[in-house]
Amino acid sequence: MTHYVDSEVARLGTVLLHRPGPELARLTPRNNDSLLFDAIPWVGRAQEEHDAFAAALRSRGVEVLYLADLLAETLAVPDARSELTEQVLRSPRLGDTLRARVADHLAYLDPAALADVFTAGLAHEELRIGAERPGGLVWTLMDRHDFVIDPLPNLLFTRDSSVWIGDRVGVTSLAMPARRRETTLTDAIYRYHPRFVGTEFVYHPGLEHLEGGDVLLLAPGVLAVGVGERTTPAGAERLARQVFAAGLAHTILVVPIAQERATMHLDTVCTMVDVDAVLMYPNIASELSAYTVVAGADGEPRVDGPAPFLRAAADAMDLDQLRVIDTGLDPVTAEREQWDDGNNTLALAPRLCVGYERNVETNAQLERAGIEVIAIAGSELGSGRGGPRCMSCPLVREKGGGPA
Ligand SMILES: NC(=[NH2+])NCCC[C@H](N)C(=O)O
């Protein structure tokens, strides 16, 4: 099986999704902020919306892989099971007594049930504690609302925890504490699942912070990397080194974005919808700048700039110019639709993308520009602040960036 991605828009072959499940049911008004959700999603409806998203992809010939299936299959591999279990048990919050109870609990679960615990976490009351099986001081003093193992509701956004560049996978280094454990799962899947045996890695979770939502494969050999709330300049520099060393790209455009929730990743303000067209949030489109990083003769990344992002991108991509489709006609609509992930489209092929139906203006702008939009419902899915691009990690796209 060859997994290969060298652009944002070439025909999509295979994608990794995570169907939201019990981990979303862990969200409460007490914890939703720290778990990076802006509301409490209705889980059943979120699942319906997600199923419709997956169905839309399949109807266009895309193979959909589910993270929970891959994880359960991975956990059937004994080394993967023991490694992931050890990682969870290593949490310094547990203490030895509680750690032993959790270890007993996990030992009896079949791979699918264990995958459930690794994604949905373990609540205080879900652990069987009694006279014969005391929970110890940590269990006794734990707030009833605390988790013994934290849930990972942001697994929904598969874009961020791994990114394929060429035939290599980058397992990223997530910045927010609520998301860090996600990459223990993606890392294990890519190392142990039979489908991925032999895959080479271009990034590891122990490296400087880098999230997939910040990485755009503008064209074969050209990457854009947003630096802001999630990806640090050090992460961008590290990716540049790794990518140059592996010969996966010749140019990396490093794009500073505001360190705010509304612009947490580059893909919240800019996504590609054609080989030479980007969808961009107009309130910042003209202000975005880029530093161009190329491999120097000595292997050291060489930095140039800043220059306006659109200019730098067109130059790196060898285009006269990049077409810009802006998301909204008036600033208020633009701001509302940017917040609701209007800019966060997933291209299935050049001029064909998936977007949230609620972003009426944005989608109309796209259609006017000759881009077909498959509109999906996202009232519940969007409560985690992520759109179709955030919710998908492409594993296979047609090589060479796709036909013009
Ligand atoms: N690629 C993206 N824009 N991902 C959106 C991630 C949203 C998620 N709630 C977070 O804060 O991390």
Side-chain angles (χ1 to χ4, degrees):
M1 186 76 220
T2 324
H3 302 101
Y4 190 93
V5 185
D6 67 8
S7 77
E8 287 294 304
V9 297
R11 183 160 291 283
L12 183 60
T14 303
V15 78
L16 174 64
L17 305 186
H18 176 61
R19 183 177 194 263
E23 70 285 352
L24 279 202
R26 304 296 202 183
L27 290 158
T28 67
R30 269 183 311 277
N31 66 23
N32 70 306
D33 284 340
S34 62
L35 289 174
L36 308 173
F37 270 68
D38 297 321
I40 311 302
W42 171 10
V43 181
R45 182 55 58 83
Q47 290 175 327
E48 280 171 32
E49 290 173 353
H50 196 270
D51 290 345
F53 175 39
L57 297 177
R58 288 194 197 96
S59 75
R60 301 290 177 139
V62 178
E63 178 194 22
V64 172
L65 303 178
Y66 283 116
L67 188 129
D69 295 342
L70 294 179
L71 180 59
E73 287 154 11
T74 300
L75 288 169
V77 179
D79 283 351
R81 180 178 178 123
S82 56
E83 189 181 302
L84 279 173
T85 305
E86 268 167 42
Q87 274 167 346
V88 161
L89 292 176
R90 212 178 292 146
S91 166
R93 278 175 40 214
L94 292 178
D96 290 347
T97 310
L98 185 54
R99 182 171 293 117
R101 293 293 87 80
V102 178
D104 292 346
H105 180 88
L106 300 182
Y108 290 101
L109 302 177
D110 66 28
L114 190 59
D116 262 359
V117 173
F118 287 160
T119 54
L122 193 63
H124 189 260
E125 71 276 6
E126 282 168 345
L127 207 53
R128 275 174 294 112
I129 296 291
E132 262 113 79
R133 302 163 49 81
L137 184 64
V138 179
W139 166 263
T140 308
L141 294 187
M142 192 177 253
D143 186 300
R144 293 291 176 271
H145 300 300
D146 269 355
F147 295 102
V148 175
I149 300 173
D150 286 327
L152 297 174
N154 292 288
L155 277 178
L156 174 60
F157 306 111
T158 50
R159 176 66 60 166
D160 298 322
S161 55
S162 66
V163 49
W164 286 79
I165 304 175
D167 61 354
R168 307 213 181 180
V169 69
V171 177
T172 58
S173 171
L174 296 165
M176 307 302 266
R179 300 198 62 178
R180 296 228 175 106
R181 198 167 57 78
E182 287 178 33
T183 52
T184 62
L185 307 182
T186 42
D187 188 51
I189 289 171
Y190 292 128
R191 282 189 300 117
Y192 289 108
H193 192 284
R195 181 175 173 131
F196 299 105
V197 167
T199 295
E200 292 196 67
F201 283 61
V202 66
Y203 214 85
H204 292 280
L207 296 173
E208 293 83 353
H209 288 160
L210 172 84
E211 300 200 352
D214 279 316
V215 181
L216 263 58
L217 311 183
L218 295 181
V222 184
L223 270 57
V225 181
V227 295
E229 187 185 76
R230 306 300 177 87
T231 297
T232 57
E237 185 188 289
R238 176 67 58 197
L239 181 69
R241 286 180 190 283
Q242 306 272 105
V243 156
F244 293 154
L248 298 172
H250 53 79
T251 306
I252 313 254
L253 301 175
V254 176
V255 185
I257 47 177
Q259 303 236 5
E260 290 166 10
R261 179 148 178 80
T263 60
M264 68 184 115
H265 294 111
L266 181 57
D267 71 6
T268 61
V269 292
C270 174
T271 49
M272 285 190 78
V273 288
D274 198 355
V275 289
D276 64 347
V278 288
L279 175 67
M280 261 183 136
Y281 180 43
N283 299 14
I284 65 153
S286 54
E287 286 158 34
L288 273 191
S289 65
Y291 293 84
T292 298
V293 182
V294 296
D298 52 358
E300 274 296 293
R302 217 186 59 222
V303 185
D304 244 341
F309 167 70
L310 291 168
R311 188 64 261 148
D315 288 347
M317 296 162 77
D318 222 1
L319 296 172
D320 289 339
Q321 61 175 12
L322 213 47
R323 286 188 294 135
V324 180
I325 299 158
D326 83 24
T327 52
L329 303 168
D330 70 277
V332 173
T333 307
E335 191 179 358
R336 285 170 55 91
E337 296 200 358
Q338 188 276 336
W339 177 250
D340 284 322
D341 286 296
N343 298 79
N344 195 259
T345 53
L346 170 67
L348 304 190
R351 297 178 294 282
L352 173 65
C353 68
V354 185
Y356 279 150
E357 63 179 357
R358 66 191 299 156
N359 297 312
V360 174
E361 278 300 326
T362 303
N363 297 344
Q365 291 284 81
L366 283 166
E367 297 278 356
R368 275 195 280 274
I371 313 291
E372 185 185 343
V373 181
I374 303 169
I376 60 162
S379 296
E380 301 303 316
L381 293 176
S383 60
R385 290 273 75 68
R389 186 182 193 272
C390 311
M391 293 190 294
S392 56
C393 173
L395 271 57
V396 179
R397 281 191 190 271
E398 203 172 278
K399 283 190 189 181

